[in-house]
């Protein structure tokens, strides 16, 4: 009988050390002066008060999310540097809905066997999205779980903490009947509904990730579907600074699983309903393509996908046109889609 | 061709709603007055300053961890209410190493298909450990990932944020040569090294989870190995209040993967090394049993498992005996295991 070691059991601590050596440079790129360095320590440390901001009554706003089976497409396409952007986006876009500035991010990566190159690609995406959104990537866990994942597959979970002064928290109480709804364009499916996408495109449509899709501009299926989730943090923080939380900006909804109506309803007071004008924004062709391949009916599309709007702002009516112009100036397409009734 | 729906793709939103309906009661049990209720909102909100404590220069201490392939044993034994305790413990025991009070916890649960009963069992463990450690379970994500996990299997990730005043952060700088090392007993393997445990016990030892182990008191293999990770939060917070962070209590190391020496080294200044007296604490019989079944050599055991000590305190020598008496009074076995050299 052979002697058992961690290595024979599928966990090679030397390869793990190689993996861990690749991460610090990706993490430090995201560091602000508020990150307190404690190399080798058990936790990531972040001083809440920094040179730019002192909080008197801070509220921590925390979110967690994953990327779902979009990961299966990354694995099939062997392209791993975008799903980390999705991971960060799914969390930070939730945090800003409360009016919070995302400050900390941590990731959990689980894989069947250690693969330093793959891990570095994944965390490169996470790091770049953290830099873009001003989040410090101050911790994470890489779990090697032989027998739990198929070879080459992995799962990701992300965790974000944002901070806001208590008075800045957007809780929906400022929303009034008559407020304007402004939809902000998504970049595609973001990170929701990918089990349905995969059934429609691969199983029913018969496509492979490497197939080009001429009717959508000739990109491959993999390129189209791996388009990263849009990061709304900087534009929203700009708008909050300019128009005021609970003043001009009265509500923010991240459109994820559940679709437009369900996610918008999450932030509305009980006596308010969204009155959305059908056809008031262009549904990107990728959604029509998916619907056609899977023969998915309209109602199902609407409750699974963002259908072109990744974020909806509830605005005091008199600032709505101004906010739209500000977003356009930041390069984001947006559409007046209705009002609160 | 059948019409594709989210349900035919493996995600049933009605069952998902059943799952989600089971969680609020488990979450609210953990709530302190600092949790700001925002039902349906996109994030969990926690007001840092509460009736018991106002922070002037707060540092956020964040940790993430998983349970590893201990989950495979829970699945084999069909016992799912303890792994949540492990999940919380792996994170909060890291947070207290910095001297922080854990305040927020979020969980990520990924499963192949929605199973409301299974999810409730998992979150019951998480909720009970959060209550025990004073953490508010204010968010989480349940990901249904068909084709990524085998039927009945799941993965867990946990995220914890702790808070400490900047002056209370334990960063190892207070550690001096001559300081005493006090080891605090673990409850077993905690949540590390389970790939090796499984190889030794099941593959080489030929055991099944339901087999009793007479030489270890007759418990089944499943019961023995699923013993939850010990939660050190309350005892450590008591000790910090009594003996002072960086005063009497100069360092705290959570003994996880890497074992005693590696984890202790993480908190020591560069010019300090631990001088550990061999045989100064009793190695619990479960470790000898695992080593024997897998013919695992002593060095490998020491670098993979906690071998009986789940936490090590670095103490100012004059308080060491007092601290040991305090821990004993709290029902925790502890052992002087050496000093800093």
């Amino acid at each position: 009988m052979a002697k058992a070691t961690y290595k024979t059991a599928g966990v090679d601590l030397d390869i793990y050390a190689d993996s861990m050596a690749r991460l610090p440079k990706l993490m430090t790129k995201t560091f602000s002066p508020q990150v307190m360095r404690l190399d080798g320590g058990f936790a990531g440390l972040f001083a809440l008060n920094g040179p730019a901001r002192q909080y008197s009554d801070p509220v921590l706003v925390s979110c967690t999310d994953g990327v779902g089976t979009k990961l299966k497409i990354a694995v099939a396409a062997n392209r791993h540097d975008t799903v980390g952007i999705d991971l960060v986006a799914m969390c930070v876009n939730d945090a800003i809905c409360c009016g919070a500035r995302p400050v900390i991010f941590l990731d959990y990566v689980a894989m069947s066997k250690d693969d330093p190159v793959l891990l570095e690609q994944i965390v490169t995406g996470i790091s770049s999205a953290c830099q873009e959104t001003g989040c410090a990537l101050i911790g994470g866990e890489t779990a090697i779980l032989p027998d739990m994942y198929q070879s080459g597959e992995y799962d990701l979970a992300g965790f974000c903490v944002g901070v806001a002064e208590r008075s800045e928290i957007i809780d929906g109480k400022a929303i009034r009947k008559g407020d304007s709804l402004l939809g902000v364009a998504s970049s595609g499916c973001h990170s929701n509904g990918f089990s349905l996408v995969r059934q429609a495109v691969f199983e029913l449509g018969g496509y492979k990730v490497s197939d080009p899709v001429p009717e959508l501009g000739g990109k491959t299926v993999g390129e189209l579907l791996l388009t990263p989730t849009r990061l709304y943090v900087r534009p929203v923080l700009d708008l909050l600074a300019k128009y005021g939380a609970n003043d001009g900006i009265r509500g923010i909804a991240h459109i994820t699983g559940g679709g437009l109506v369900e996610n918008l309803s999450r932030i509305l007071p009980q006596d308010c309903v969204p009155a959305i004008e059908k056809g008031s924004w262009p549904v990107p062709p990728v959604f029509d393509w998916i619907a056609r391949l899977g023969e998915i009916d309209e109602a199902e599309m609407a409750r699974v996908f963002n259908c072109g709007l990744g974020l909806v702002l509830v605005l005091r009516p008199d600032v709505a046109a101004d906010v739209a112009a500000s977003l356009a100036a930041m390069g984001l397409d947006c559409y007046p889609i209705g009002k609160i009734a």
Side-chain angles (χ1 to χ4, degrees), chain A:
Chain A
M1 190 166 76
K3 282 193 181 186
T5 65
Y6 218 19
K7 193 168 176 172
T8 66
V11 182
D12 186 325
L13 291 178
D14 297 321
I15 300 182
Y16 192 77
D18 177 10
S19 277
M20 292 307 107
R22 291 167 186 251
L23 302 186
K25 69 176 185 302
L26 295 171
M27 295 170 73
T28 50
K29 278 183 186 173
T30 69
F31 285 4
S32 64
Q34 287 156 273
V35 174
M36 293 168 63
R37 303 295 291 267
L38 190 62
D39 293 332
F42 287 91
L45 271 59
F46 184 88
L48 205 56
N49 292 325
R53 187 71 192 261
Q54 301 276 322
Y55 292 89
S56 66
D57 193 3
V59 174
L60 305 183
V61 172
S62 54
C63 316
T64 178
D65 213 337
V67 177
T69 54
K70 189 169 188 173
L71 297 174
K72 297 279 276 190
I73 295 174
V75 169
N78 194 26
R79 171 87 198 266
H80 307 288
D81 59 346
T82 58
V83 287
I85 302 173
D86 291 299
L87 185 69
V88 174
M90 292 306 288
C91 296
V92 294
N93 288 348
D94 274 354
I96 53 167
C97 290
C98 300
R101 174 184 296 273
V103 293
I104 294 175
F105 194 82
L106 290 94
D107 65 319
Y108 171 83
V109 183
M111 32 179 56
S112 64
K113 88 184 179 61
D114 214 329
D115 183 335
V117 173
L118 172 61
L119 180 67
E120 187 173 8
Q121 288 172 352
I122 295 168
V123 179
T124 296
I126 295 172
S127 173
S128 76
C130 282
Q131 291 171 65
E132 157 68 24
T133 56
C135 256
L137 176 61
I138 57 171
E141 165 71 6
T142 306
I144 308 305
L145 304 175
D147 318 326
M148 274 185 55
Y149 295 90
Q150 291 161 54
S151 177
E153 294 213 345
Y154 53 89
D155 195 13
L156 303 179
F159 169 67
C160 170
V161 178
V163 191
E165 204 67 71
R166 188 191 287 258
S167 58
E168 299 165 339
I169 290 287
I170 299 176
D171 59 5
K173 294 202 184 91
I175 294 173
R176 299 283 173 270
K177 285 169 191 166
D179 281 354
S180 302
L181 296 175
L182 187 69
V184 188
S186 65
S187 59
C189 295
H190 286 183
S191 308
N192 288 103
F194 270 85
S195 291
L196 182 52
V197 169
R198 290 165 48 239
Q199 189 181 41
V201 174
F202 302 119
E203 197 177 312
L204 299 173
Y207 279 92
K208 292 187 181 57
V209 284
S210 55
D211 292 339
V213 187
E215 65 265 45
L216 295 178
K219 281 190 180 175
T220 65
V221 170
E223 288 165 341
L224 278 170
L225 295 180
L226 287 174
T227 305
T229 306
R230 185 157 281 165
L231 296 158
Y232 296 107
V233 173
R234 285 192 188 276
V236 167
L237 291 177
D238 280 0
L239 294 177
L240 288 172
K242 201 164 168 187
Y243 300 98
N246 299 316
D247 182 13
I249 315 290
R250 294 180 165 176
I252 306 171
H254 182 203
I255 310 305
T256 59
L260 179 60
V261 173
E262 187 179 309
N263 282 289
L264 194 45
S265 301
R266 291 167 72 175
I267 65 162
L268 299 186
Q270 283 204 326
D271 59 342
C272 290
V273 291
I276 294 168
E277 284 171 48
K278 265 189 103 164
S280 56
W281 75 96
V283 175
V286 67
F287 292 104
D288 295 329
W289 178 69
I290 291 165
R292 183 161 46 78
L293 292 177
E295 288 193 40
I296 305 165
D297 70 29
E298 207 180 318
E300 187 74 357
M301 289 297 293
R303 80 165 188 165
V304 174
F305 297 108
N306 67 61
C307 296
L309 300 177
L311 197 77
V312 173
L313 303 174
V314 184
L315 301 170
R316 204 178 64 211
D318 62 298
V319 302
D322 250 28
V323 169
S326 295
L327 283 166
M330 298 177 211
L332 285 170
D333 292 325
C334 57
Y335 312 94
I337 60 164
K339 57 184 182 177
I340 299 295

